[in-house]
Amino acid sequence: MPTRRTSPEVDAICWVFWLLRLPQLFCTCVAFSLVADMGIWRGAVGNWAMSFWCVCFAMTLIISIVELYRRWSDFPFFWHNICVTYTCYAALICLSASIMYSITHVQFLPYGPYRDRAIAATAFSCIASVLYVVEVAGLWAWYELKEIFFYEHTTRALLKVLETFVAGVIFAFLSSTSLYLHQPALEWCVAVYSICFILAAVVLLLGQAEWKYMPPRPFSIFQLVLSLLSVLLYVSALVLWALYQSNEEYGGQLQRSSDMGCTNGLTYTLCFWDRKLTVAILTAVNLLVYVADMVCWASQVSVGTGGQSSAPDPLHSQGVSLQSSGSP
């Protein structure tokens, strides 16, 4: 029976800290500091990016302290699951912050020291995302995650991380309740995002807890049903959100120029039209992720059915072998 490592070695912890964790702390801290020092030129998008970098810095610092003092045994979940899942989120967070900050804010800043600081912060954020990706690849190889429940098929774990992450970004763009309040169809879309996020988060937590004693066949069917339900819900959300985005009869605006908030130049925040369009795009992206998740679980269920139907009965095989050995 193959063995697996459930805790890192001291030498490996030191190498990871000096080669990856310390540069991650430095890059996220510098990016946060550069944007924080911009004052009124920071904007709402800058505040949003700063919160992402701050979370990455704080979590990386906590994980580094726990590993340096070898306190991972105090956690109820296996430490490798926590580290890998957080590192995946951190890579996505820094990458999304780099893209959104540069596209929606940096390019509109006037040339000068503030623009240079914003560009430098974006560069450090990109470096941090690369470092987190390298750490994810290293952790997969180090902990031999192919032998760990829920990470046995890495694609499923990554899809769950993507589902919850994209939903979190959608919630960030829906922070202004005026986008959907008093519109039942859009309120239904927000409910869909919340329901699917909770379902994906629960499954992710089950994987973190390593509930490997659950029957694999019923669990796969349960996952398939949840994925199918999420796909149907997201299809309804995509149709309704796109309809209310483009149809003027429902208060939508097909052209960006129709939104007066988008024609005032740099307002340090995204206008409603941009937010609605971004939510529609992210809804389509998450729908594709859920479809891929459903396909993975459907293939798992079909493989399990085929394996059960084609697998020989050991008692029957034993009886046949005994009869053949006892026959003249």
Side-chain angles (χ1 to χ4, degrees):
M1 182 177 181
T3 59
R4 70 183 182 192
R5 293 183 286 269
T6 58
S7 60
E9 298 178 358
V10 178
D11 294 339
I13 291 175
C14 295
W15 279 107
V16 170
F17 176 77
W18 289 108
L19 295 180
L20 293 175
R21 297 280 169 76
L22 193 60
Q24 290 167 2
L25 291 171
F26 176 77
C27 290
T28 52
C29 182
V30 170
F32 176 86
S33 302
L34 288 172
V35 177
D37 194 43
M38 293 176 61
I40 61 173
W41 292 95
R42 186 169 59 238
V45 179
N47 293 330
W48 175 72
M50 280 175 52
S51 64
F52 274 12
W53 296 325
C54 184
V55 169
C56 291
F57 176 84
M59 289 299 299
T60 303
L61 181 61
I62 292 173
I63 290 178
S64 300
I65 292 174
V66 171
E67 289 191 343
L68 289 175
Y69 285 92
R70 289 179 286 181
R71 304 296 300 179
W72 51 77
S73 60
D74 297 338
F75 292 85
F77 301 149
F78 279 106
W79 182 248
H80 47 239
N81 280 356
I82 298 176
C83 292
V84 171
T85 305
Y86 158 71
T87 309
C88 291
Y89 277 116
L92 292 171
I93 285 173
C94 289
L95 180 61
S96 61
S98 305
I99 295 174
M100 294 302 300
Y101 187 61
S102 59
I103 292 177
T104 63
H105 190 80
V106 176
Q107 62 174 336
F108 298 108
L109 289 173
Y111 290 96
Y114 291 112
R115 183 186 178 94
D116 295 338
R117 291 181 185 180
I119 294 175
T122 305
F124 278 106
S125 180
C126 292
I127 296 174
S129 62
V130 173
L131 292 172
Y132 282 118
V133 170
V134 172
E135 183 180 354
V136 170
L139 286 174
W140 283 345
W142 175 255
Y143 287 117
E144 300 175 352
L145 294 179
K146 291 185 178 180
E147 301 174 7
I148 298 176
F149 173 73
F150 188 76
Y151 286 102
E152 180 182 359
H153 297 277
T154 309
T155 303
R156 299 184 206 163
L158 289 179
L159 289 175
K160 288 301 175 186
V161 170
L162 282 175
E163 289 166 4
T164 54
F165 175 78
V166 175
V169 177
I170 291 176
F171 292 142
F173 282 100
L174 292 175
S175 57
S176 178
T177 57
S178 57
L179 289 176
Y180 56 87
L181 278 184
H182 310 300
Q183 301 186 66
L186 297 185
E187 291 177 351
W188 162 255
C189 295
V190 177
V192 167
Y193 303 143
S194 303
I195 293 171
C196 294
F197 174 81
I198 293 173
L199 293 177
V202 168
V203 173
L204 194 59
L205 289 176
L206 290 179
Q208 292 290 305
E210 295 200 3
W211 284 17
K212 57 186 176 182
Y213 300 106
M214 299 171 60
R217 171 77 176 161
F219 185 70
S220 299
I221 296 176
F222 173 72
Q223 285 292 329
L224 178 60
V225 172
L226 286 185
S227 300
L228 178 59
L229 176 62
S230 300
V231 167
L232 295 177
L233 290 175
Y234 258 85
V235 168
S236 67
L238 179 61
V239 172
L240 290 175
W241 195 273
L243 180 64
Y244 275 72
Q245 165 76 12
S246 58
N247 197 326
E248 295 182 356
E249 295 181 2
Y250 298 101
Q253 296 170 329
L254 184 59
Q255 299 295 330
R256 187 176 186 271
S257 58
S258 302
D259 190 347
M260 298 300 298
C262 298
T263 58
N264 295 331
L266 182 62
T267 58
Y268 308 107
T269 184
L270 293 176
C271 61
F272 283 174
W273 194 91
D274 290 336
R275 292 190 181 190
K276 289 181 179 179
L277 178 62
T278 304
V279 170
I281 295 174
L282 292 176
T283 302
V285 170
N286 222 13
L287 175 60
L288 295 178
V289 177
Y290 275 107
V291 169
D293 190 18
M294 182 183 65
V295 171
C296 287
W297 285 110
S299 62
Q300 173 66 17
V301 171
S302 62
V303 168
T305 304
Q308 290 179 355
S309 61
S310 61
D313 187 357
L315 295 178
H316 177 72
S317 301
Q318 184 179 4
V320 172
S321 61
L322 289 176
Q323 291 178 1
S324 60
S325 62
S327 59

